Amino acid sequence: MSPYKRKIYLENKPRQEAWHEMLANFQPKRKVEWIPSVSALGRITAEPIFAQSSMPHFHASAMDGIAIVAEETFSAHEQNPLLLRRNEDFIHVDTGNEVPPPFNAVIMIENVEERDEDSVEIIEPAAPWQHIRPIGEDIVQEEMLFPQGHEIRPVDIGALVAARTLTIPVIKKPAVTVIPTGNELVSAEDAASVGQLIEFNGSAFVNYIREWGGDPLLTPVVKDDPEKIKAALLEAANTSDIVVINAGSSAGSKDYTVHILQEIGTVYTHGIATRPGKPVIIGKVNGTIVVGIPGYPVSAYLSLEWFVRLLICEYLGVNEPERQKLKVKIGRRMVGSMGAEDFIRVSIGYINGEYVANPLSRAAGVTMSLVRADGLLVISPDILGYEQGEYAEAELYKPKHEIENAIVFSGSHDLTIDLLSSKLKAENRSFSIQASHTGSMAGMMAIKKGEAHLAAVHLLDPETKEYNTSYIKRFLQGTEVVLYPFLRRKQGWLLPQGNPLNIQSLLDIVEKQAQYANRQKGAGTRVLFDMLMREEGVSPQQITGYEREMFSHLSVAAEVKGNPDGVGLGIYSAAKVMKLDFIPVADEHYDLLMTKSFFESEQGQTLIKVIQSDDFKQAVEQIGGYSLVQELEPLFF
């Protein structure tokens, strides 16, 4: 039985306070190494760097021409041409040639009239030192090229080589050991059984650390055994400048890190006032700062940046890099929590002349929310959040021009949208589709509110059995929009291979108590399923799992694949990708909705061109379950 009892957070310390306390106890033992200048890209100078030679190191001609003594040409004039003799009055020089004494000026060859092989004539005087690069014009021997703490750039390497400063002292990269922990973790190369997770945080950590200028070492996974964790920490503390231990920092029954750090060292912080990222530990073992990072990836990556990047920059003696900030309009309400900083990953679209930010998943375990994020918006601890339409500042993860050129997509999910984005980028590398799978109705409302350029909709009217048009007339009155006929696709029952419950209809789902994976409210598939229930006289209470919502066809398919009693309504392509059985239920209209102004824009017309291309059509047909609708004209409302 473990001697360590579960420990709840010691505190809810403000992040800035944790920073200052950590830095106050960080006493880096910086080392200096001499490396070839040509290999110094990105390295930080340890001391001032001086030129070993002047550049140029002789008086050099800046032009092709003749070198002369300027004072002997003052009488030259159009009315009084001056005759000069080779080797007596001038010598020929090319650009970069030495200009030896007593010559002190160069006349461009275009301004020289050759009389014969040994004499030339000029009609204008030369000024002393014209067209001559004097010794040290660029670099003077012994001048300081760079101060300490300078990050070497490609142009700096050129200057170092020109000055014959061929080796330079740089700060040795701090050694940062990363220790992943957890009984459930296995390598990506190993087979992962149920209950086991791939250890991937470490791979991200070491590359962040490398990007920030550290020298990372990733250890094998350490199991949740106090003695093994203690041994790993002691070894890392003795060989590293900074130690990062991942997972085990929270308050679970096997979260031993804080106890072990208290036993073998000092703990300064256990818990910071942030969401996500609260369970951070900062301590010290044998003079080495140890940062305990939460296991959930979003919490982990943010915490790593807040604390480990700060330590690396402090070690190297450089300022932390700052990302560009942008004023954004809040597209959907974002709620914070008083007393804690909330870090919201956002997508940002440039729509109608404004930058509109919408929140992505706030779950700390959703890695793709960071992958897809255009920026990060911080809700400070002293406010409750932002309402739709308010303005805030976001820190950008992407260049602003990428955001401005992105087509913001909202609405129903389909695999062809990713394909369309790829083909669009091939057509014009500046354009891309920024997709948010919100469901048909939410996509339509995004168009109405000016939060998206493009929405995919497949809303079936139960009364008329027509797709999309009645909803547009009902909800988008007064908005000039275009409905572009896009796809016809097959919706049907998604079933585990072999259809173990022998599901053939909606009534079978009820009778056999299959576990249904539903779509979210407002999704076209949800509208279709609700219509089927009404037609069969089935209530939501009769469907096991009706209240549980998935936000894409692939999510439904993944849920069904992992459950022999599972069933869902979705598209054929999702069943095909996940290798599920598929029973057709309906052929539906999956169309693209956009404002008239976007349809007529360069982005809109490029998008239509790609949709109508043979290349895109062939790619869609290869997926299966689709047919492109190219014979119908767009509908203008």
Side-chain angles (χ1 to χ4, degrees):
M1 186 174 181
S2 170
Y4 302 108
K5 295 181 180 179
R6 180 179 299 198
K7 189 173 185 66
I8 308 303
Y9 302 117
L10 298 178
E11 57 214 323
N12 205 32
K13 185 179 291 184
R15 185 165 53 108
Q16 292 79 1
E17 184 181 330
W19 281 345
H20 296 312
E21 190 173 17
M22 179 182 71
L23 290 179
N25 289 281
F26 184 47
Q27 296 158 336
K29 301 179 181 64
R30 299 184 182 91
K31 300 180 181 65
V32 176
E33 59 182 351
W34 288 77
I35 64 173
S37 300
V38 294
S39 303
L41 183 64
R43 300 300 297 273
I44 307 300
T45 55
E47 56 190 60
I49 308 298
F50 297 92
Q52 301 299 307
S53 176
S54 295
M55 172 63 183
H57 61 278
F58 56 85
H59 296 317
S61 175
M63 299 287 177
D64 296 335
I66 61 172
I68 47 83
V69 177
E71 291 78 3
E72 294 179 358
T73 68
F74 289 170
S75 63
H77 191 271
E78 287 183 4
Q79 305 301 320
N80 182 35
L82 183 62
L83 188 69
L84 302 176
R85 298 176 183 82
R86 184 195 299 272
N87 297 329
E88 293 180 27
D89 304 313
F90 77 91
I91 59 172
H92 282 288
V93 289
D94 293 327
T95 301
N97 286 166
E98 179 189 10
V99 179
F103 304 115
N104 65 353
V106 170
I107 299 174
M108 292 189 296
I109 196 67
E110 299 95 305
N111 297 332
V112 172
E113 183 71 30
E114 289 197 16
R115 290 302 181 190
D116 55 43
E117 290 185 0
D118 294 315
S119 62
V120 299
E121 191 175 81
I122 61 172
I123 58 173
E124 290 182 357
W129 299 104
Q130 76 174 25
H131 302 318
I132 290 178
R133 298 185 64 205
I135 293 173
E137 178 194 55
D138 189 357
I139 299 170
V140 178
Q141 184 176 342
E142 300 305 325
E143 78 168 298
M144 188 178 76
L145 299 175
F146 315 110
Q148 72 273 22
H150 176 79
E151 182 177 346
I152 298 296
R153 304 165 298 172
V155 67
D156 301 333
I157 293 175
L160 287 165
V161 174
R164 295 189 180 181
T165 306
L166 301 183
T167 59
I168 61 170
V170 297
I171 297 174
K172 189 175 182 180
K173 295 180 180 183
V176 185
T177 296
V178 175
I179 306 171
T181 70
N183 290 336
E184 74 281 10
L185 299 181
V186 295
S187 168
E189 289 76 22
D190 298 331
S193 59
V194 174
Q196 293 182 318
L197 297 173
I198 302 299
E199 198 294 295
F200 62 89
N201 277 348
S203 299
F205 287 3
V206 297
N207 283 287
Y208 274 126
I209 290 164
R210 192 172 288 122
E211 180 182 41
W212 298 332
D215 183 16
L217 171 67
L218 179 63
T219 74
V221 174
V222 177
K223 298 300 181 182
D224 289 324
D225 179 302
E227 292 305 316
K228 291 179 179 178
I229 294 173
K230 184 191 300 184
L233 281 171
L234 287 170
E235 181 180 354
N238 290 331
T239 58
S240 311
D241 299 297
I242 302 163
V243 175
V244 178
I245 181 166
N246 186 214
S249 65
S250 190
S253 60
K254 293 185 180 300
D255 289 332
Y256 301 122
T257 303
V258 69
H259 305 288
I260 295 167
L261 282 174
Q262 287 173 325
E263 179 183 323
I264 62 176
T266 303
V267 172
Y268 303 115
T269 296
H270 183 203
I272 58 173
T274 65
R275 294 194 320 175
K278 182 175 182 178
V280 168
I281 303 171
I282 300 171
K284 197 172 188 178
V285 175
N286 294 342
T288 301
I289 290 289
V290 177
V291 182
I293 299 292
Y296 279 134
V298 177
S299 299
Y301 302 157
L302 291 175
S303 302
L304 193 80
E305 183 172 296
W306 296 333
F307 296 102
V308 178
R309 185 179 73 173
L310 179 61
L311 290 171
I312 292 172
C313 289
E314 181 70 15
Y315 182 100
L316 295 172
V318 298
N319 294 324
E320 280 195 279
E322 291 187 7
R323 297 188 181 96
Q324 184 179 5
K325 292 183 172 62
L326 187 68
K327 180 181 179 182
V328 296
K329 182 179 180 181
I330 304 302
R332 291 200 301 277
R333 188 174 189 233
M334 301 181 195
V335 179
S337 52
M338 292 295 287
E341 291 178 290
D342 279 89
F343 291 81
I344 315 297
R345 289 83 74 197
V346 293
S347 61
I348 304 173
Y350 186 64
I351 304 168
N352 299 330
E354 291 195 291
Y355 299 94
V356 180
N358 284 296
L360 297 169
S361 171
R362 294 178 67 164
V366 183
T367 310
M368 290 304 293
S369 68
L370 270 177
V371 173
R372 294 189 174 117
D374 298 310
L376 190 70
L377 191 147
V378 182
I379 302 177
S380 65
D382 56 347
I383 65 172
L384 286 174
Y386 293 102
E387 296 294 337
Q388 183 179 14
E390 291 185 338
Y391 290 87
E393 188 177 66
E395 182 179 280
L396 297 187
Y397 283 157
K398 295 178 181 177
K400 192 167 75 167
H401 70 85
E402 285 190 21
I403 292 171
E404 292 174 347
N405 286 321
I407 297 173
V408 180
F409 171 94
S410 184
S412 176
H413 169 256
D414 193 273
L415 276 65
T416 58
I417 299 302
D418 292 333
L419 179 63
L420 182 58
S421 181
S422 174
K423 299 296 183 183
L424 178 68
K425 197 168 185 65
E427 176 69 24
N428 186 322
R429 69 184 65 177
S430 298
F431 294 162
S432 63
I433 292 178
Q434 179 198 99
S436 178
H437 305 307
T438 58
S440 294
M441 186 59 73
M444 188 174 289
M445 292 301 101
I447 295 293
K448 181 177 182 177
K449 295 174 184 177
E451 296 173 2
H453 298 112
L454 183 70
V457 292
H458 60 109
L459 291 166
L460 177 62
D461 188 326
E463 301 299 326
T464 66
K465 299 295 189 292
E466 292 182 348
Y467 276 92
N468 302 322
T469 54
S470 63
Y471 291 89
I472 293 172
K473 292 173 183 177
R474 190 185 316 164
F475 295 110
L476 297 184
Q477 283 186 358
T479 305
E480 287 191 303
V481 294
V482 177
L483 185 67
Y484 188 86
F486 183 41
L487 296 172
R488 299 294 179 264
R489 64 181 189 177
K490 292 189 179 298
Q491 285 262 28
W493 304 123
L494 307 185
L495 301 158
Q497 280 190 348
N499 191 3
L501 294 182
N502 193 25
I503 300 293
Q504 301 296 327
S505 67
L506 176 61
L507 293 178
D508 288 337
I509 295 174
V510 176
E511 292 170 5
K512 298 179 181 181
Q513 296 185 338
Q515 296 179 24
Y516 185 70
N518 206 356
R519 290 294 305 278
Q520 78 274 24
K521 294 180 182 69
T525 301
R526 174 76 166 259
V527 172
L528 174 61
F529 185 68
D530 288 350
M531 188 194 75
L532 294 174
M533 286 199 304
R534 282 194 297 273
E535 291 178 348
E536 295 289 352
V538 173
S539 69
Q541 292 74 23
Q542 292 175 272
I543 303 294
T544 304
Y546 181 87
E547 298 300 327
R548 190 177 178 203
E549 298 181 343
M550 307 291 165
F551 285 82
S552 74
H553 291 286
L554 286 178
S555 296
V556 171
E559 187 73 16
V560 172
K561 183 175 182 177
N563 183 357
D565 295 333
V567 61
L569 185 62
I571 56 177
Y572 171 78
S573 57
K576 181 180 178 182
V577 167
M578 291 291 184
K579 298 180 180 178
L580 300 174
D581 282 7
F582 180 81
I583 297 177
V585 170
D587 288 325
E588 65 174 8
H589 297 205
Y590 181 83
D591 299 328
L592 299 179
L593 179 67
M594 62 199 83
T595 61
K596 184 171 179 286
S597 59
F598 174 76
F599 176 75
E600 294 173 346
S601 70
E602 180 188 0
Q603 285 179 316
Q605 288 301 299
T606 304
L607 183 77
I608 301 303
K609 178 183 176 182
V610 171
I611 291 172
Q612 294 176 347
S613 68
D614 290 338
D615 185 37
F616 180 69
K617 181 179 180 180
Q618 291 169 6
V620 169
E621 288 174 348
Q622 286 177 0
I623 298 175
Y626 298 105
S627 61
L628 274 169
V629 187
Q630 297 185 337
E631 69 278 5
L632 297 179
E633 293 296 321
L635 298 177
F636 291 81
F637 293 84

